[in-house]
């Protein structure tokens, strides 16, 4: 999604050229390209699919079938991680606890289905500015509490710096996620201001903002995370630029903040 | 600030006419009108000044004199509460813990000065979307932890629904604030989406958004708050409308969410 202006074959080719070993995919471009074709393309190039975005939106009606389809797509792509964006308040509701209870029910419904297909669910807490309309799960601790009833191999969390950087309890929650074996996904994006209208497409290129990304990488590593580090930027300005240039820039920036672990960076 | 299009004498006259017993003021319009004149205007009308906004920004250099001036102005206006917006990251910094330590130092410097003048400080946690550029204090628990070293009569917190509504730990923190005697200020605003660019002027009129404001009023009352309930809306659309109409609408909306306590509503 960081370089959504690149078609899937281009993205894969440039990842290979740049030594980027894995890529996190979103469902829409995969569906457009064709699930089987996308799976073959990535596999034949020797890339890992680090995660699939996304299932969830449990607070809307009738999402069961689509969420199971998301699990099937993850399995077909060979990734073990499906990212969940849980959904905000249902239309007309002001009841956050009820929304969170509904999210818990949705996860309980989906987790066994996913586990049978070798896919683990990764609950992503979104920044509190999305609590109303996208995700009523706003902190890592909330996400970990939602995951707690399930085996760690079935349900864990996403640590996305953009969403949790402000939280003074996040460092302890990262350690908790690691200790519980639930740190299923780690994503980087920087925080820049002013935020754009709608606040969806203002994630900063690594190093352009105020998040101490190097410290986050160290913290997540200290919690035992040895999996991929993803970069997920939704940024209107980056999308207007040449995709290959943005991919190369992102790789450079990634190297600056993680000098000792420049191994994988999904685009 | 909700009806900043009204000049101070207009605001005061309409508060009196509508039976609004108190008003929260901001420093800028008070300074423009003249501190002594503003104090006399409000006092002669029989209104209470519920709070003065604002001091703080402790993470910027050289704010000591201005913060003491804010205390003096609060005392001159006869209000016992100065709201503090603590400040975000200093320019070029990515160190949130350091910013928070600096805020703690600033409060320690200001609290005794304020206490000598009969003014208590009210730390306002701002929504996490302001953590970088306005306020590194993002939750009620953080604000209460910052207040903890001081007597409750010197330093407490502001509960503003717009800033804390998303936080699953806020209800417990409200109870904690009440038990500690630190619930110094309670402010209402609703949460509406989409957020405008810059996210500063999108606070919703009461009832237009997704916050269960009636439940918040009950919760704060249950925590022992018997002080004023303020309405603080920064909203470009409301500012474009006739100020008296907005004031009356706000009073109506306030009555709808607090049917049993329609007593004071500062504009």
């Amino acid at each position: 999604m960081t370089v959504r202006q690149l078609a899937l074959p281009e993205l894969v080719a440039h990842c290979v050229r740049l030594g980027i070993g894995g890529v996190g995919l979103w469902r829409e471009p995969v569906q457009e390209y064709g699930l089987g074709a996308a799976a073959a393309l990535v596999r034949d190039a020797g890339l890992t699919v680090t995660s699939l975005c996304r299932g969830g939106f449990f607070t809307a009606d009738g999402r069961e079938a689509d969420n199971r389809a998301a699990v099937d797509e993850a399995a077909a792509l060979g990734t073990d991680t499906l990212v969940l964006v849980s959904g905000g308040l249902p239309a007309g509701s002001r009841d956050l606890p009820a929304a969170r209870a509904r999210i818990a029910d949705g996860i309980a419904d989906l987790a066994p289905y996913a586990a049978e297909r070798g896919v683990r669910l990764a609950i992503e807490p979104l920044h509190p500015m999305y609590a109303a309309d996208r995700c009523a799960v706003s902190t890592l601790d909330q996400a970990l509490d939602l995951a707690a009833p399930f085996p760690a191999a079935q349900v864990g969390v996403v640590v996305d710096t953009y969403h949790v950087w402000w939280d003074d309890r996040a460092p302890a929650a990262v350690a908790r996620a690691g200790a519980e074996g639930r740190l299923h996904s780690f994503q980087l994006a920087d925080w820049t201001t002013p935020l754009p209208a709608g606040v969806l497409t203002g994630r900063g290129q690594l190093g352009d903002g105020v998040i101490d990304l190097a410290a986050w990488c160290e913290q997540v590593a200290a919690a035992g995370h040895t999996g991929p580090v993803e970069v997920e930027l939704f940024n209107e300005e980056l999308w207007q630029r040449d995709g290959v240039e943005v991919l190369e820039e992102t790789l450079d920036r990634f190297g600056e903040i993680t000098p000792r672990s420049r191994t994988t960076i999904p685009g």
Side-chain angles (χ1 to χ4, degrees), chain A:
Chain A
M1 193 54 77
T2 302
V3 286
R4 71 171 186 184
Q5 61 271 56
L6 294 182
L8 212 47
E10 277 185 288
L11 172 64
V12 166
H14 286 285
C15 283
V16 170
R17 176 177 66 80
L18 294 166
I20 298 171
V23 63
L25 297 178
W26 278 58
R27 294 178 68 196
E28 293 75 7
V30 166
Q31 288 165 356
E32 278 168 35
Y33 191 77
L35 177 62
L41 177 75
V42 177
R43 187 181 56 238
D44 293 348
L47 293 185
T48 304
V49 179
T50 51
S51 69
L52 181 66
C53 257
R54 62 197 184 194
F57 288 93
F58 299 110
T59 55
D61 290 331
R63 300 291 295 212
E64 292 80 1
D66 189 62
N67 276 325
R68 292 187 175 211
V71 167
D72 295 340
E73 290 160 25
L77 290 166
T79 180
D80 62 356
T81 303
L82 176 65
V83 172
L84 299 181
V85 172
S86 296
L89 289 167
S93 169
R94 295 188 169 97
D95 191 342
L96 271 177
R100 289 163 181 157
R102 198 161 159 185
I103 291 166
D105 289 345
I107 293 167
D109 180 63
L110 192 61
Y113 182 87
E116 283 167 19
R117 284 146 189 87
V119 176
R120 56 190 193 175
L121 305 179
I123 305 168
E124 180 161 16
L126 258 56
H127 192 284
M129 67 188 177
Y130 303 116
D133 48 7
R134 304 190 85 76
C135 185
V137 181
S138 304
T139 66
L140 273 174
D141 277 317
Q142 278 182 290
L144 285 165
D145 291 347
L146 279 166
F150 307 94
Q154 282 189 19
V155 184
V157 301
V158 180
V159 176
D160 182 320
T161 55
Y162 188 78
H163 295 305
V164 303
W165 76 278
W166 56 272
D167 183 1
D168 63 329
R169 299 183 190 230
V174 166
R176 174 185 167 197
E180 294 181 1
R182 297 189 194 273
L183 212 167
H184 288 357
S185 173
F186 178 45
Q187 301 182 331
L188 297 175
D190 215 335
W191 182 271
T192 54
T193 55
L195 294 167
V199 300
L200 278 175
T201 55
R203 301 196 197 186
Q205 174 62 284
L206 311 184
D208 282 354
V210 299
I211 305 178
D212 189 344
L213 295 170
W216 277 93
C217 288
E218 283 171 25
Q219 209 157 57
V220 165
H225 181 67
T226 56
V229 181
E230 300 184 331
V231 178
E232 188 183 61
L233 311 178
F234 301 169
N235 186 306
E236 204 59 61
E237 287 172 31
L238 294 180
W239 289 334
Q240 299 302 324
R241 289 170 51 194
D242 176 74
V244 175
E245 182 188 299
V246 172
L247 185 63
E248 291 173 350
E249 174 185 278
T250 304
L251 186 60
D252 285 343
R253 297 293 185 92
F254 184 79
E256 286 165 20
I257 60 165
T258 57
R260 284 158 305 185
S261 60
R262 187 169 169 166
T263 47
T264 60
I265 174 182

